[in-house]
Structures are given as structure tokens and as C-alpha cells.
Amino acid sequence: MLPDFHATAAALGALPREKIHGRVNAITGLTITLEGFGPLAAIGDRVAITPPTGAPVMAEIAGFRDGKAQAIALGPLTGLTSGMRATLAPRPALPVSDAWLGRVLDPMGRPLDGGPMPAPGAIQRPTHAPAPAAGQRSRLGVRLPLGVRVLDLFTPVRRGQRLGLFAASGVGKSTLMAMLAGGLAADVIVFALVGERGRELREFIEDDLGPERLARSVVVCATSDSAAPLRREAAYAAMTVAEHFRDQGLQVLLLMDSVTRFALALREIGLAVGEPPATRGYPPSVFTELPRLLERAGPGPDNSPGAITALFTVLVEGDDHDEPVADAVRGILDGHVVLDRAIAEAGRYPPVDVLRSVSRSMPGVLEEDEWQLVSEAKRLLSTYGEIKDLVRLGAYRAGHDPEADAAVKLAPRIEAVLRQRKGEISPVEQSFAALAEAIDGA
């Protein structure tokens, strides 16, 4: 009887999965109200809405009200009407594999580079996964050379650290990310382009990455005209890809541009399903999802040598660095780099404001002589910042304050050290040697 039992179980497992159907009850703005699923549907499930002609439209269930499901479409709503049939689809997962290296994909794993579908992995990885247990994570690793002098000197990064790049639009976040991708040593690079301009995708791949770096990279992109769930899912999909390679013991560099557009997609979804706006129009769920995403980056469990070193750009609206998203992200990450428009307009690139930038791993990275050198440079830059207007107006007189005299003489030399062209990679030792030479006045 036992062989018959196994044969029966195998036959039952081969049967097609029962399909659960409902129908469209109403469409209001971006929200599709569905009925007929009852308790069988859950938050995060997807449904396929079948119009009379054309391909099915996918939507994601984002809430419930009065016994009906509320979903947000993953594409245009054109052609949808009340009464159309909706079929419950499996919860989304990504079949990530090593074949994804060198590819440009959308958040669903579909190719954007004109190539074939990448070979699927053996395991379907859920995109909304928990972070490693806090008490069982490895500690941050060794210092990582970034190749960018201003960051290696004033905001050093350790393996597994999460750093934010904060700036208003048009200041140079994307350019700095391209410099970091070229200078930071990693086994795999994962790019998350969330709400990116479609015109810039090929420029980024061909000009900033190039064939050599693309071969060890995975690019996940959802352009600005994508539906809000796809823009949100781009961040989760990229994090899932990074975790796949981290779990193999590899060192992964995750570059996400930008967390702000991820938060805007969350806000769009929350408001569409009726969540009340709380802080400057952002519903509370935005500030719940941010740490769930960002905490997944970093060192892996104790038994894994792999780590995700993550750099997240934050688009600061109106140069207000205390706006809700920037403030929340700054409190979660392990450091923040502030890009200043005034520095960029003065012609110094990268336009990093070293006095407002902080790396929380800095005390455990720098040697004593390096710490003294960086502290002295900050002191000189701070003093010069207080008197530079007097210098420009010709109202400053030398000889009254030795500290101010030193700042006037040495601050321009330090600023010259911090200038760096795109494509130029500076080793850490040379960066500190150049800073020491500038402060010595040689």
C-alpha cells in the first residue's frame, strides 16, 4: 500500500493549483476595489485582472475596507472597468541566481537590456524578508578604501556599514555614486535605481559602469513612470539580490538611488488606500517600512563571512535636511554625507560638507596620527568658515589671532586636496599624505 500512497501524493502534487477568482467592484483614482476573495486574500498578494482584450493587468493588494480588498495596479488602468474578473496570483518572490550578474532587470526579474530571461535560481526568495537577528549579526569589518579622498579622510567606511548621501537635486549624488562604484572593492555590486529617469539608464550603464564593472553587477531599475508598487518593489528586489550574494559569503556593495523616491512610492500607496497623512503628508506606514528595508543591509549572521556595504542617496527636498524622510533615514544609518549646493557652485567636487558629515564607525577606523590629522583639518576649516566673509570683504587683518591666520593660510590648501575628478581613484595612504602636506604648509 505504501508505494500506492506515494504515487497518489505525487499525482496530487502535480495537479494545477486551484484558482481563486473575484471581480472588480470599483476603481477610484489609483485604487481598485475587489470583491469575492473573502479571507483567502492577504496584504501583499497579487491579482491578475483580465480585460476583454489585451494582456492581464497585475495589481497588488494593499488594504481592506468593508470586506473588500483594495489593490494598486502595477501598470496603466486604461481599459479596466467594473465587473471584470480578477484572479488571485501567488505572492511575489524572486528566483535570484548567479546568472543575474551583468544584467539590467526590472523589479519582477524581467530583462530591460534586451537579453533573454536570466536562468532562475533553485530557491524563490521572498522580497519582503526580515533582517538578520540583531543579537546574531557579525560586527562591522575592516576599513574599506573608497577611492574618494574627502570620504576616506573625513567619513571612512567599514565593511558592512550603511552610509547615506544627503543632497538636494542637481548637486551631484549620482556622480558621487559612480565614483564610489569605481573605487570601492567588492565582489558584487547591486544597483537599485528607484524612480530614475529612463533617459539616463543607458548613460549610467555605458558611461559610469562600463563592461568590466557591469559584468560583476546587477542593476534593478524602475523608472519614474512606473507604478508606485513597482518603484517600491525595486528597492526590495535589489536588497533581495544583495542578500543572495551575501549569503554565499561574498562582499556586496549595494548602491540605492534613492531612498526618498522609495518613500514617495510608499506615500502614494498609503494615501491611495485611505491611510491618513501624518507628518508633512507622509502616512505612518512610510516610517515603518523604512527601517524594515534599511536594516536588512549590513553584516550577515555570525556564521557567514559575507556582508552588504550599502550607500543610500537621500533627496533632500528644498535643502531642508530636517524634513521627515531625511531625519528618519539619518537616525537609522551608520553615518551620513552631506552634499552642499554652495560648495558645488564654488567649483569643488565632490561637494561634501565635511563639517556636517559623520561616520559612526570613524573612531574604530582611524589610527591615532590619522585622527589627529583629521581633527586639525576640521578645526582649520571650521575657523575659516567663521571668518571667510571678512576675508572676502577685506575686513580681516592678519596678526591678531594666530589660529585665524593659520586657517586663512591652510584652509585653501585643504580644499585643494579635497578636489577630485570623476574617474580619478585615490589610495587611502596618498590621501592622508596629501592632507598632511597641506596642513604642514609645504
Side-chain angles (χ1 to χ4, degrees):
M1 294 296 295
L2 192 59
D4 292 339
F5 172 79
H6 287 310
T8 303
L12 290 173
L15 289 175
R17 181 178 176 180
E18 181 182 3
K19 293 185 177 180
I20 303 168
H21 300 288
R23 69 184 184 90
V24 176
N25 177 269
I27 301 175
T28 306
L30 301 175
T31 308
I32 304 171
T33 303
L34 305 166
E35 62 181 6
F37 293 119
L40 299 176
I43 298 290
D45 285 347
R46 289 189 178 158
V47 295
I49 303 170
T50 308
T53 59
V57 175
M58 298 300 297
E60 182 176 310
I61 296 176
F64 294 91
R65 178 176 292 179
D66 299 328
K68 299 180 178 67
Q70 294 181 303
I72 308 295
L74 303 184
L77 297 175
T78 306
L80 297 187
T81 63
S82 178
M84 283 184 173
R85 193 182 209 192
T87 305
L88 198 63
R91 185 160 295 198
L94 284 181
V96 188
S97 71
D98 293 354
W100 287 36
L101 286 171
R103 301 302 305 275
V104 184
L105 308 167
D106 75 356
M108 313 291 287
R110 298 172 299 204
L112 294 176
D113 53 9
M117 284 288 293
I123 300 176
Q124 295 271 341
R125 301 184 70 102
T127 56
H128 295 248
Q136 300 174 9
R137 299 189 79 160
S138 302
R139 300 186 60 174
L140 294 179
V142 297
R143 176 165 65 183
L144 286 179
L146 302 178
V148 181
R149 281 190 293 272
V150 63
L151 300 184
D152 279 329
L153 292 170
F154 295 97
T155 56
V157 171
R158 296 173 66 179
R159 181 174 292 168
Q161 187 171 342
R162 303 162 304 177
L163 197 68
L165 307 180
F166 292 72
S169 59
V171 178
K173 299 183 301 299
S174 299
T175 302
L176 180 56
M177 286 188 69
M179 293 176 67
L180 291 168
L184 203 156
D187 299 319
V188 175
I189 307 174
V190 179
F191 293 91
L193 305 179
V194 183
E196 190 60 65
R197 290 177 284 271
R199 176 190 62 80
E200 296 181 345
L201 178 59
R202 284 193 63 182
E203 294 178 4
F204 173 77
I205 294 169
E206 296 173 4
D207 299 341
D208 295 333
L209 275 184
E212 183 178 347
R213 270 178 286 179
L214 180 60
R216 57 186 179 94
S217 302
V218 179
V219 181
V220 180
C221 178
T223 54
S224 60
D225 58 343
S226 302
L230 281 180
R231 283 180 271 130
R232 180 209 61 191
E233 202 65 19
Y236 284 118
M239 188 67 72
T240 304
V241 173
E243 290 171 335
H244 166 78
F245 291 104
R246 180 198 65 191
D247 293 346
Q248 298 182 31
L250 300 177
Q251 300 304 318
V252 182
L253 171 62
L254 173 64
L255 300 171
M256 185 175 295
D257 186 13
S258 72
V259 173
T260 304
R261 296 193 188 106
F262 169 75
L264 291 174
L266 293 175
R267 181 174 70 177
E268 191 173 327
I269 295 169
L271 295 178
V273 298
E275 191 177 355
T279 308
R280 293 198 192 177
Y282 288 97
S285 61
V286 173
F287 303 100
T288 301
E289 288 297 317
L290 279 172
R292 287 178 180 170
L293 172 72
L294 302 178
E295 284 288 352
R296 290 168 63 180
D302 277 336
N303 58 356
S304 172
I308 302 173
T309 305
L311 299 169
F312 302 95
T313 68
V314 181
L315 181 63
V316 180
E317 297 181 358
D319 282 323
D320 180 10
H321 287 263
D322 293 322
E323 59 94 13
V325 172
D327 195 47
V329 173
R330 190 166 49 240
I332 298 169
L333 300 181
D334 305 317
H336 56 274
V337 174
V338 177
L339 306 185
D340 188 87
R341 188 181 301 277
I343 298 176
E345 291 172 349
R348 197 257 280 169
Y349 288 93
V352 175
D353 187 339
V354 299
L355 300 179
R356 298 166 62 194
S357 302
V358 174
S359 171
R360 293 190 173 95
S361 70
M362 189 171 179
V365 170
L366 299 183
E367 302 291 343
E368 181 61 29
D369 58 335
E370 295 174 338
W371 179 272
Q372 296 293 337
L373 188 64
V374 170
S375 299
E376 177 67 10
K378 282 188 172 183
R379 184 183 65 81
L380 291 168
L381 291 175
S382 177
T383 302
Y384 184 72
E386 297 172 358
I387 63 173
K388 64 181 179 181
D389 289 338
L390 296 176
V391 175
R392 288 172 180 168
L393 293 172
Y396 173 76
R397 293 187 178 182
H400 295 282
D401 185 347
E403 186 173 333
D405 293 343
V408 170
K409 177 184 177 182
L410 299 178
R413 297 175 181 268
I414 298 173
E415 289 286 342
V417 171
L418 303 184
R419 286 188 176 89
Q420 190 169 345
R421 298 187 308 274
K422 183 179 177 180
E424 177 188 355
I425 298 176
S426 178
V428 175
E429 297 78 8
Q430 291 183 12
S431 299
F432 277 98
L435 182 61
E437 183 178 358
I439 290 179
D440 288 341

